[in-house]
Amino acid sequence: MPDGARPERRRQERGVRRMEQLLDAAAGLFAEIGYDSATTNKIAARAGVSPGTLYQFFSSKEDIAQALADRYIPQLEQAHRDATSGDLDALGPADLVDRIVDPIIAMNVANPGMKDLIGRSELPEHIIAPARRVQAAVAGRVAEVIGRQRPELDEAARRRYATTVLRLFATFVPLAVSAGDDEREQVIAEFKTVLRGYLTEVLAAG
């Protein structure tokens, strides 16, 4: 490598590290105080840099939100693939709940700022649309499983049951993310109990 290329490469590596540092700081603040309250000045302070340094990498808080969404969406897609792939039709309600809950909870706990960010309807469509597509795909997969076990149900009923499952996730996931380690296990257990009860009733009816 030419001698002149080494300093440039080091500068690029420092820039990447600084950008990740700022994104980590933003994610932490979004989780703690919410997107609305997390100003660029607060993000810079959390990252231990000046606001001017932040603006070298990001032009606005929305720009930071876009970069975080780009980080989150592949993880969200992978978690949902893990939750909904394979032969779900062969699983009873207890195993089905374990399959779909565990990877999604784990991904949200690992990325606590994600829920507040991609769940905000007022953000530009290009930021939140990918997450909505993933959620719609999961709802479709759950509706498909319900339909195979309850073939007498029409499409509207299948979608309604699947939407209820997603709403239960929307209720319990933030509780699990914000809980301490000991309490989190209790929240997840309670969530699984509620979801198993609901799916047992849905799949057995008819």
mmCIF file of all heavy atoms in Angstrom, residues 88-105:
data_model
loop_
_atom_site.group_PDB
_atom_site.id
_atom_site.type_symbol
_atom_site.label_atom_id
_atom_site.label_comp_id
_atom_site.label_asym_id
_atom_site.label_seq_id
_atom_site.Cartn_x
_atom_site.Cartn_y
_atom_site.Cartn_z
ATOM 1 N N LEU A 88 -44.682 -24.060 10.024
ATOM 2 C CA LEU A 88 -45.403 -23.610 11.213
ATOM 3 C C LEU A 88 -46.710 -24.364 11.399
ATOM 4 O O LEU A 88 -47.225 -24.451 12.514
ATOM 5 C CB LEU A 88 -45.687 -22.103 11.118
ATOM 6 C CG LEU A 88 -44.480 -21.171 11.004
ATOM 7 C CD1 LEU A 88 -44.938 -19.718 11.053
ATOM 8 C CD2 LEU A 88 -43.457 -21.442 12.089
ATOM 9 N N ASP A 89 -47.250 -24.910 10.311
ATOM 10 C CA ASP A 89 -48.527 -25.614 10.408
ATOM 11 C C ASP A 89 -48.443 -26.836 11.320
ATOM 12 O O ASP A 89 -49.448 -27.255 11.902
ATOM 13 C CB ASP A 89 -48.984 -26.072 9.020
ATOM 14 C CG ASP A 89 -49.207 -24.897 8.078
ATOM 15 O OD1 ASP A 89 -49.480 -23.799 8.584
ATOM 16 O OD2 ASP A 89 -49.095 -25.084 6.857
ATOM 17 N N ALA A 90 -47.249 -27.406 11.434
ATOM 18 C CA ALA A 90 -47.093 -28.616 12.239
ATOM 19 C C ALA A 90 -46.964 -28.315 13.731
ATOM 20 O O ALA A 90 -46.962 -29.235 14.550
ATOM 21 C CB ALA A 90 -45.863 -29.395 11.770
ATOM 22 N N LEU A 91 -46.865 -27.039 14.083
ATOM 23 C CA LEU A 91 -46.645 -26.665 15.479
ATOM 24 C C LEU A 91 -47.969 -26.428 16.193
ATOM 25 O O LEU A 91 -48.893 -25.837 15.638
ATOM 26 C CB LEU A 91 -45.792 -25.400 15.560
ATOM 27 C CG LEU A 91 -44.408 -25.454 14.913
ATOM 28 C CD1 LEU A 91 -43.722 -24.099 15.034
ATOM 29 C CD2 LEU A 91 -43.555 -26.550 15.543
ATOM 30 N N GLY A 92 -48.035 -26.874 17.439
ATOM 31 C CA GLY A 92 -49.165 -26.532 18.284
ATOM 32 C C GLY A 92 -49.012 -25.108 18.792
ATOM 33 O O GLY A 92 -47.964 -24.479 18.609
ATOM 34 N N PRO A 93 -50.043 -24.558 19.448
ATOM 35 C CA PRO A 93 -49.978 -23.164 19.910
ATOM 36 C C PRO A 93 -48.765 -22.847 20.783
ATOM 37 O O PRO A 93 -48.163 -21.782 20.637
ATOM 38 C CB PRO A 93 -51.289 -23.002 20.692
ATOM 39 C CG PRO A 93 -52.221 -23.967 20.047
ATOM 40 C CD PRO A 93 -51.367 -25.154 19.680
ATOM 41 N N ALA A 94 -48.376 -23.761 21.684
ATOM 42 C CA ALA A 94 -47.250 -23.481 22.578
ATOM 43 C C ALA A 94 -45.953 -23.334 21.794
ATOM 44 O O ALA A 94 -45.202 -22.363 21.970
ATOM 45 C CB ALA A 94 -47.121 -24.582 23.624
ATOM 46 N N ASP A 95 -45.665 -24.304 20.911
ATOM 47 C CA ASP A 95 -44.435 -24.238 20.123
ATOM 48 C C ASP A 95 -44.482 -23.101 19.105
ATOM 49 O O ASP A 95 -43.460 -22.469 18.820
ATOM 50 C CB ASP A 95 -44.199 -25.567 19.397
ATOM 51 C CG ASP A 95 -43.844 -26.693 20.358
ATOM 52 O OD1 ASP A 95 -43.299 -26.393 21.437
ATOM 53 O OD2 ASP A 95 -44.119 -27.860 20.032
ATOM 54 N N LEU A 96 -45.658 -22.842 18.562
ATOM 55 C CA LEU A 96 -45.810 -21.751 17.602
ATOM 56 C C LEU A 96 -45.485 -20.413 18.254
ATOM 57 O O LEU A 96 -44.785 -19.571 17.672
ATOM 58 C CB LEU A 96 -47.237 -21.737 17.051
ATOM 59 C CG LEU A 96 -47.577 -20.639 16.040
ATOM 60 C CD1 LEU A 96 -46.693 -20.743 14.807
ATOM 61 C CD2 LEU A 96 -49.053 -20.707 15.657
ATOM 62 N N VAL A 97 -45.958 -20.218 19.466
ATOM 63 C CA VAL A 97 -45.680 -18.971 20.183
ATOM 64 C C VAL A 97 -44.191 -18.828 20.459
ATOM 65 O O VAL A 97 -43.609 -17.753 20.262
ATOM 66 C CB VAL A 97 -46.502 -18.911 21.487
ATOM 67 C CG1 VAL A 97 -45.979 -17.813 22.408
ATOM 68 C CG2 VAL A 97 -47.973 -18.677 21.166
ATOM 69 N N ASP A 98 -43.542 -19.902 20.913
ATOM 70 C CA ASP A 98 -42.096 -19.830 21.142
ATOM 71 C C ASP A 98 -41.365 -19.455 19.857
ATOM 72 O O ASP A 98 -40.431 -18.643 19.876
ATOM 73 C CB ASP A 98 -41.567 -21.172 21.652
ATOM 74 C CG ASP A 98 -41.948 -21.446 23.096
ATOM 75 O OD1 ASP A 98 -42.286 -20.483 23.817
ATOM 76 O OD2 ASP A 98 -41.913 -22.626 23.505
ATOM 77 N N ARG A 99 -41.783 -20.043 18.742
ATOM 78 C CA ARG A 99 -41.106 -19.795 17.466
ATOM 79 C C ARG A 99 -41.209 -18.330 17.050
ATOM 80 O O ARG A 99 -40.232 -17.748 16.585
ATOM 81 C CB ARG A 99 -41.717 -20.682 16.380
ATOM 82 C CG ARG A 99 -41.270 -20.343 14.961
ATOM 83 C CD ARG A 99 -39.833 -20.744 14.689
ATOM 84 N NE ARG A 99 -39.722 -22.176 14.622
ATOM 85 C CZ ARG A 99 -40.001 -22.895 13.529
ATOM 86 N NH1 ARG A 99 -40.389 -22.299 12.417
ATOM 87 N NH2 ARG A 99 -39.874 -24.200 13.550
ATOM 88 N N ILE A 100 -42.393 -17.744 17.196
ATOM 89 C CA ILE A 100 -42.552 -16.386 16.675
ATOM 90 C C ILE A 100 -42.159 -15.308 17.684
ATOM 91 O O ILE A 100 -41.777 -14.206 17.296
ATOM 92 C CB ILE A 100 -43.989 -16.140 16.157
ATOM 93 C CG1 ILE A 100 -45.018 -16.211 17.279
ATOM 94 C CG2 ILE A 100 -44.323 -17.107 15.039
ATOM 95 C CD1 ILE A 100 -46.441 -15.914 16.815
ATOM 96 N N VAL A 101 -42.228 -15.627 18.975
ATOM 97 C CA VAL A 101 -41.939 -14.599 19.984
ATOM 98 C C VAL A 101 -40.443 -14.427 20.216
ATOM 99 O O VAL A 101 -39.935 -13.298 20.252
ATOM 100 C CB VAL A 101 -42.653 -14.929 21.314
ATOM 101 C CG1 VAL A 101 -42.109 -14.066 22.459
ATOM 102 C CG2 VAL A 101 -44.154 -14.718 21.172
ATOM 103 N N ASP A 102 -39.713 -15.524 20.380
ATOM 104 C CA ASP A 102 -38.330 -15.434 20.848
ATOM 105 C C ASP A 102 -37.425 -14.592 19.945
ATOM 106 O O ASP A 102 -36.727 -13.689 20.434
ATOM 107 C CB ASP A 102 -37.747 -16.834 21.043
ATOM 108 C CG ASP A 102 -38.367 -17.556 22.236
ATOM 109 O OD1 ASP A 102 -38.962 -16.869 23.095
ATOM 110 O OD2 ASP A 102 -38.265 -18.796 22.308
ATOM 111 N N PRO A 103 -37.380 -14.823 18.622
ATOM 112 C CA PRO A 103 -36.468 -14.012 17.803
ATOM 113 C C PRO A 103 -36.874 -12.548 17.717
ATOM 114 O O PRO A 103 -36.012 -11.661 17.653
ATOM 115 C CB PRO A 103 -36.519 -14.689 16.425
ATOM 116 C CG PRO A 103 -37.768 -15.487 16.415
ATOM 117 C CD PRO A 103 -38.017 -15.892 17.824
ATOM 118 N N ILE A 104 -38.172 -12.273 17.741
ATOM 119 C CA ILE A 104 -38.615 -10.884 17.629
ATOM 120 C C ILE A 104 -38.325 -10.120 18.918
ATOM 121 O O ILE A 104 -37.861 -8.971 18.886
ATOM 122 C CB ILE A 104 -40.109 -10.835 17.258
ATOM 123 C CG1 ILE A 104 -40.293 -11.389 15.840
ATOM 124 C CG2 ILE A 104 -40.647 -9.409 17.353
ATOM 125 C CD1 ILE A 104 -41.734 -11.492 15.392
ATOM 126 N N ILE A 105 -38.567 -10.754 20.055
ATOM 127 C CA ILE A 105 -38.233 -10.112 21.331
ATOM 128 C C ILE A 105 -36.730 -9.884 21.425
ATOM 129 O O ILE A 105 -36.268 -8.799 21.810
ATOM 130 C CB ILE A 105 -38.711 -10.970 22.519
ATOM 131 C CG1 ILE A 105 -40.240 -10.967 22.611
ATOM 132 C CG2 ILE A 105 -38.094 -10.469 23.823
ATOM 133 C CD1 ILE A 105 -40.841 -9.699 23.160
#
